Amino acid sequence: MPKLEMGAMRLASYNLRKCKGTDGHRSPGRVLDVINALEADVIALQEADMRLGPRPAALPQRMIDDHTDFTALPVNTSPVSVGWHGNAILVRKSAMVEATHRFDLPGLEPRGAVAVDLPGLRVVGVHLGLLRSSRQKQLHAIRAHLAGLDDRPTVILGDFNEWSRHQGLDPLKDAFHVHAPGRSFHASRPMAALDRIALSDTLELRDAGVAETELSQRASDHLPIWADLQNPASA
């Protein structure tokens, strides 16, 4: 994976599948090894919590604190969760966090997006629905939430659940460039670019890719994606 240039910021997204690997084993430690290898500044996580009841963390906060240089932002509403609707955001412990947000999203099943405001940048983590009609409604809802905030440069990234490379993400087209770094699903035999990153027009994408390693192929059914962009705060 390329090293960061001076003044660049690396973002990443990773659907953890509740830390259950392609070998059937649930291993948070293995997932953390993949996360650490990304060398990212901000990471949006999906399926970071279990699905039912109070949604206990599949990736425990204590393990994040003890084994990484990241902090899981307080987007959770359940004391045993690390995220909200399974979505979590990790930032470096040295990061200056100005605000966090939760966006309610429509759909046939409960969904939500989470966001963090950093100096000169907003990062929104998403896990969109399985139906295209739901995904489009959810993207419209995200745009509406963003319209109520300040207009700082924004990145939306995560599991978009969109199999088409060219269709389905129309609600973003007027203000965002959507980039699919590569095939990220299924990790053992990547066939679809489900994981995407959308950049507002003021941001410059330097490089992007899929973190496909022997470990990441086993840790989850999704491969992580990463993107290097010019850090607006350093421009």
Side-chain angles (χ1 to χ4, degrees):
M1 187 180 299
K3 295 295 184 181
L4 283 177
E5 299 177 13
M6 185 67 67
M9 172 178 283
R10 177 166 293 163
L11 307 182
S13 175
Y14 193 16
N15 185 325
L16 308 184
R17 196 197 185 193
K18 308 171 190 68
C19 296
K20 185 176 182 180
T22 55
D23 57 5
H25 296 297
R26 201 178 301 277
S27 175
R30 178 169 60 184
V31 165
L32 287 176
D33 287 342
V34 174
I35 286 173
N36 284 329
L38 294 171
E39 299 182 341
D41 300 291
V42 182
I43 306 178
L45 302 179
Q46 303 87 50
E47 298 192 30
D49 299 315
M50 305 301 284
R51 186 175 179 83
L52 301 177
R55 303 197 68 155
L59 187 66
Q61 175 78 59
R62 173 185 52 79
M63 291 186 68
I64 297 170
D65 291 341
D66 291 348
H67 300 290
T68 78
D69 185 44
F70 291 104
T71 295
L73 295 181
V75 297
N76 56 308
T77 57
S78 167
V80 297
S81 299
V82 72
W84 187 60
H85 292 289
N87 297 302
I89 297 182
L90 305 183
V91 299
R92 292 289 179 183
K93 291 176 180 177
S94 59
M96 182 181 298
V97 175
E98 296 180 351
T100 58
H101 310 276
R102 292 188 293 266
F103 303 156
D104 284 305
L105 302 182
L108 294 178
E109 55 182 324
R111 295 273 178 174
V114 296
V116 58
D117 291 350
L118 303 169
L121 183 68
R122 175 172 294 121
V123 180
V124 183
V126 302
H127 188 186
L128 301 181
L130 297 175
L131 299 177
R132 181 175 289 173
S133 59
S134 293
R135 292 193 291 273
Q136 293 189 334
K137 291 176 183 176
Q138 290 159 4
L139 290 173
H140 279 299
I142 290 169
R143 294 292 304 274
H145 284 293
L146 292 174
L149 303 174
D150 65 58
D151 61 352
R152 72 181 67 199
T154 298
V155 177
I156 303 171
L157 77 167
D159 182 353
F160 279 47
N161 258 324
E162 177 56 67
W163 285 72
S164 172
R165 285 276 192 152
H166 308 291
Q167 300 178 16
L169 303 177
D170 307 86
L172 297 179
K173 284 186 175 179
D174 65 312
F176 289 85
H177 171 69
V178 181
H179 185 72
R183 296 175 180 177
S184 56
F185 181 86
H186 185 278
S188 60
R189 188 179 180 184
M191 299 177 62
L194 300 187
D195 301 278
R196 314 270 180 107
I197 178 167
L199 306 174
S200 60
D201 293 338
T202 56
L203 293 173
E204 177 186 352
L205 182 66
R206 294 291 187 86
D207 198 6
V210 177
E212 186 174 2
T213 65
E214 182 179 350
L215 188 61
S216 67
Q217 287 177 320
R218 290 187 287 113
S220 171
D221 62 346
H222 283 248
L223 298 170
I225 63 168
W226 56 271
D228 294 344
L229 59 147
Q230 180 64 41
N231 184 352
S234 66

